[in-house]
Amino acid sequence: MGRQGEAHWLIGSLLVLLLAYSSTALPASRSELSRWLGDVVTPELREMLSRHPRYRGQSLQLLHAGANGLADAVVTVLTINLRGREGIELYSPAPQPLPVSASPARIDDLQCTSLEDGRLRLLVSAVAAGKRKGQVRIALVEPGAATGSTHSWEWRGSLSRAERETLGVSRAPQIADGSMVAPWGGQDIEQAAQDMQRQLACALRPQVATRLDLAWFEASNLPPLLADTVHRSRHLLGSYAELGFAEESPDYRLAAEVTAFSADVWQLWLKGVPQSNGLAPVQAVAYFRHQPPPAQPLITPYRRTAGAPVTPVHERGDALDYLAVEMLDASLGRERAGSAELQVRLRLENRSEWPIDYAFSLSGGHYQHCVSEPAQYRHDRYGRLAGRLEAGQSVVRPLVIRGAEHRPNPWFGARKCAGFRSLEGFEHYPASGDSVTEYVRWGL
């Protein structure tokens, strides 16, 4: 038996061993999922991780994005089949929690570089997809995750009896870091507040000349976990010498917004809206696992027609799975003295039977010396596109960012060319849409 045949046999056998513990009889042959993992995913991953100069030798952490036994089993199978391969380094220790020390007294002392440790992450999710069927997604996420996953594999098909049973077995959630994969929980208020105030303070720091005054709107109707995080974040933010709170003539107005992404996962935004010209919008975002749902719901049930039964939003699945986005083009629009418009045209399609509310935000700015390298990028403005798609509706919408600096041929000084930080979220929306999605939810 050759090496490739051995790999296929090993994957099939392992899935049988991992998934058949609840079954009285072993399957006679490999399942559809086993064949997909053995014939498609594992060979491609081995080739990419061991040979591609971008990934070779990087530390790789495998995580289950869906807290169930099937995702956990697939992670185990992939771990066994990637471990020990030349050029592939697997990360095994649990990631360290965020520091919870007091905020620095001065904002310039704040560490604003990414807390990511440079690891690649391979995220595995598994969900039911109808009678006796399932859907498995494997995504490779680069350090920082700012641009979402760079490669992904998806499978949808029939599950064996053991696989179906294992899909229904709950697994403990991953160590929390506030991401969609590992949301904060009730025991993480201090760490969540530390992370959110750090995000906000780092966004505010470039706007500080000597001092910024902030007006903070008290959040209402928040579940205790989110309310406590918001209040603690406000307290920590007020510890900086350069920041203060004032209702009269503030530089920024800050408010909290909450969006439900599933039955028990919520997205919390802290947003700062500038009150004068020359200041850029700021924001911090994190995900929280909160169960049971708040006593006073943040989502209102939607009625399809008068007299029809009320269907809670979360019973329809994730709205993000039903929104198709295609980037048609990106271009430089109308130019004015020293600035230009950046334009992206998108085709949006609602593939569900219910309305979907959506909002996208995208960074626009310029590249110093007109060199399109990440280190040369400077943010100028955000563009935002929001609206509603009715069931089955398809539209083409422009997302416009105005006021990006653009001086390609200046009389004096450095050249500056308007451009985007990253369009990958729109170019590869099924895999990277979360990098530009502000929210996608069922219509309220």
Side-chain angles (χ1 to χ4, degrees), residues 79-217:
T79 299
I80 293 172
N81 282 276
L82 294 176
R83 180 178 291 132
R85 293 280 166 169
E86 183 181 357
I88 301 177
E89 179 185 341
L90 297 187
Y91 177 87
S92 53
Q96 295 297 312
L98 293 170
V100 295
S101 57
S103 300
R106 304 195 64 83
I107 202 168
D108 285 339
D109 297 331
L110 184 62
Q111 177 69 7
C112 284
T113 55
S114 173
L115 294 181
E116 287 289 334
D117 54 8
R119 289 193 301 274
L120 290 169
R121 291 187 175 189
L122 196 65
L123 306 181
V124 178
S125 63
V127 295
K131 187 176 182 181
R132 297 187 177 183
K133 294 184 180 293
Q135 182 173 330
V136 174
R137 183 172 186 269
I138 301 171
L140 183 66
V141 181
E142 296 195 16
T147 56
S149 58
T150 54
H151 299 276
S152 64
W153 297 261
E154 293 192 19
W155 173 86
R156 183 186 178 101
S158 298
L159 297 173
S160 69
R161 174 186 169 187
E163 291 165 351
R164 292 195 305 272
E165 293 177 352
T166 309
L167 181 62
V169 177
S170 297
R171 285 288 185 267
Q174 305 292 130
I175 293 177
D177 61 9
S179 66
M180 188 184 301
V181 177
W184 298 119
Q187 71 281 6
D188 302 316
I189 290 175
E190 182 65 26
Q191 290 177 283
Q194 284 279 351
D195 181 50
M196 297 204 79
Q197 68 83 19
R198 182 190 64 83
Q199 292 183 51
L200 269 181
C202 287
L204 286 167
R205 186 164 69 177
Q207 318 300 323
V208 175
T210 57
R211 179 181 171 86
L212 291 176
D213 287 327
L214 314 175
W216 192 288
F217 289 121

Side-chain angles (χ1 to χ4, degrees), residues 377-440:
Y377 177 81
R378 301 293 184 270
H379 168 80
D380 290 328
R381 299 283 189 272
Y382 282 104
R384 190 170 184 271
L385 177 63
R388 166 177 286 207
L389 288 175
E390 299 301 327
Q393 184 180 11
S394 177
V395 298
V396 174
R397 295 284 308 275
L399 190 158
V400 179
I401 304 174
R402 297 180 174 86
E405 288 197 50
H406 188 65
R407 297 182 178 87
N409 298 294
W411 288 103
F412 59 88
R415 298 174 65 207
K416 297 180 179 181
C417 290
F420 299 93
R421 179 180 180 183
S422 174
L423 291 171
E424 183 176 3
F426 287 134
E427 292 171 340
H428 308 288
Y429 187 78
S432 307
D434 57 330
S435 65
V436 296
T437 300
E438 184 172 343
Y439 66 77
V440 176

Side-chain angles (χ1 to χ4, degrees), residues 209-397:
T210 57
R211 179 181 171 86
L212 291 176
D213 287 327
L214 314 175
W216 192 288
F217 289 121
E218 291 296 330
S220 61
N221 197 29
L222 292 181
L225 169 60
L226 304 187
D228 290 347
T229 301
V230 170
H231 294 155
R232 180 61 178 153
S233 300
R234 181 179 189 272
H235 174 76
L236 292 170
L237 204 61
S239 67
Y240 297 102
E242 298 84 356
L243 302 179
F245 295 102
E247 295 298 327
E248 296 289 333
S249 302
D251 297 297
Y252 280 89
R253 293 194 177 276
L254 302 179
E257 295 182 11
V258 175
T259 302
F261 266 72
S262 66
D264 64 346
V265 175
W266 305 81
Q267 186 186 48
L268 174 64
W269 292 84
L270 298 180
K271 296 186 176 182
V273 178
Q275 301 300 295
S276 59
N277 295 331
L279 297 176
V282 297
Q283 62 186 26
V285 62
Y287 293 84
F288 292 79
R289 188 175 303 281
H290 181 79
Q291 195 174 27
Q296 194 172 4
L298 300 176
I299 290 186
T300 305
Y302 166 72
R303 294 181 184 269
R304 294 184 59 187
T305 57
V310 175
T311 305
V313 171
H314 65 261
E315 289 187 5
R316 304 175 193 158
D318 193 336
L320 194 63
D321 294 336
Y322 295 87
L323 178 66
V325 178
E326 178 186 1
M327 191 180 81
L328 302 179
D329 57 59
S331 60
L332 194 67
R334 198 169 39 174
E335 297 183 27
R336 296 180 178 177
S339 66
E341 286 185 356
L342 294 166
Q343 301 177 351
V344 179
R345 280 199 316 136
L346 303 171
R347 177 180 286 116
L348 312 176
E349 182 182 359
N350 179 0
R351 295 178 176 175
S352 76
E353 299 179 7
W354 301 277
I356 291 179
D357 292 324
Y358 63 87
F360 302 115
S361 60
L362 181 65
S363 170
H366 66 276
Y367 288 91
Q368 298 280 65
H369 313 294
C370 293
V371 176
S372 58
E373 296 290 340
Q376 300 296 326
Y377 177 81
R378 301 293 184 270
H379 168 80
D380 290 328
R381 299 283 189 272
Y382 282 104
R384 190 170 184 271
L385 177 63
R388 166 177 286 207
L389 288 175
E390 299 301 327
Q393 184 180 11
S394 177
V395 298
V396 174
R397 295 284 308 275

Side-chain angles (χ1 to χ4, degrees), residues 65-79:
N68 59 63
L70 184 57
D72 199 24
V74 173
V75 165
T76 302
V77 170
L78 292 174
T79 299

